[in-house]
Amino acid sequence: MAQRHAAGTATEVPVAPIPNRGSGEQRRCGWCRRVLPEQGSVGRPRLYCGQACRQRAYEQRSATAKAGLPGDVVLVSRSELDGLQDRLYQLRCALEDAQTLLTERPTKAELERQLTELLRSTGRLDRLWVTERAG
């Protein structure tokens, strides 16, 4: 499941486990990560939104196997990794600042300001590899 970038490197997006039916969690295509349409209660759950995504996933699995890499390998460009490490460092600093603040009998306004900073430094880390991929 590699995605090509301008630098010529690839990013692998792991396939998320299929949520149980009726769990309320949205299922996503195993390749492009688009939300899959609701499916009835009969039959095997869809893994891909269409034949093109199924083919790309097969090509990725085949290339990964030929390279001798494990199926769950994740490849990212150096700039993406650097960006992620920067964001994680900012998060760590914000957490340390919050920890220090808690030892100083903070006011409600100070706590709110620190929580806002903590949320800002987190950014969208939770959505890092869930973005849709171009066909």
Side-chain angles (χ1 to χ4, degrees), residues 19-128:
N20 294 331
R21 290 179 194 211
S23 68
E25 190 177 336
Q26 292 181 329
R27 291 179 42 252
R28 294 185 174 269
C29 174
W31 177 254
C32 70
R33 310 305 297 154
R34 289 186 194 111
V35 174
L36 293 173
E38 284 294 319
Q39 186 174 341
S41 61
V42 178
R44 204 166 48 179
R46 289 178 66 167
L47 298 178
Y48 305 101
C49 59
Q51 182 59 36
C53 286
R54 178 176 308 178
Q55 181 65 26
R56 297 299 169 275
Y58 167 78
E59 291 167 356
Q60 167 61 31
R61 287 190 308 272
S62 178
T64 301
K66 286 179 186 173
L69 299 171
D72 63 348
V73 69
V74 177
L75 303 172
V76 296
S77 68
R78 170 56 59 190
S79 63
E80 288 173 320
L81 179 60
D82 290 344
L84 176 58
Q85 288 174 325
D86 288 345
R87 290 168 69 189
L88 290 172
Y89 178 75
Q90 290 171 2
L91 177 58
R92 188 180 114 217
C93 291
L95 286 168
E96 288 173 353
D97 290 346
Q99 186 177 28
T100 301
L101 182 64
L102 288 174
T103 64
E104 300 173 351
R105 295 178 150 250
T107 65
K108 182 179 178 190
E110 289 172 326
L111 282 174
E112 288 173 345
R113 200 169 27 257
Q114 186 57 42
L115 285 174
T116 300
E117 175 60 22
L118 190 55
L119 285 171
R120 187 202 62 76
S121 67
T122 302
R124 296 302 299 173
L125 286 173
D126 61 326
R127 312 277 283 156
L128 192 59

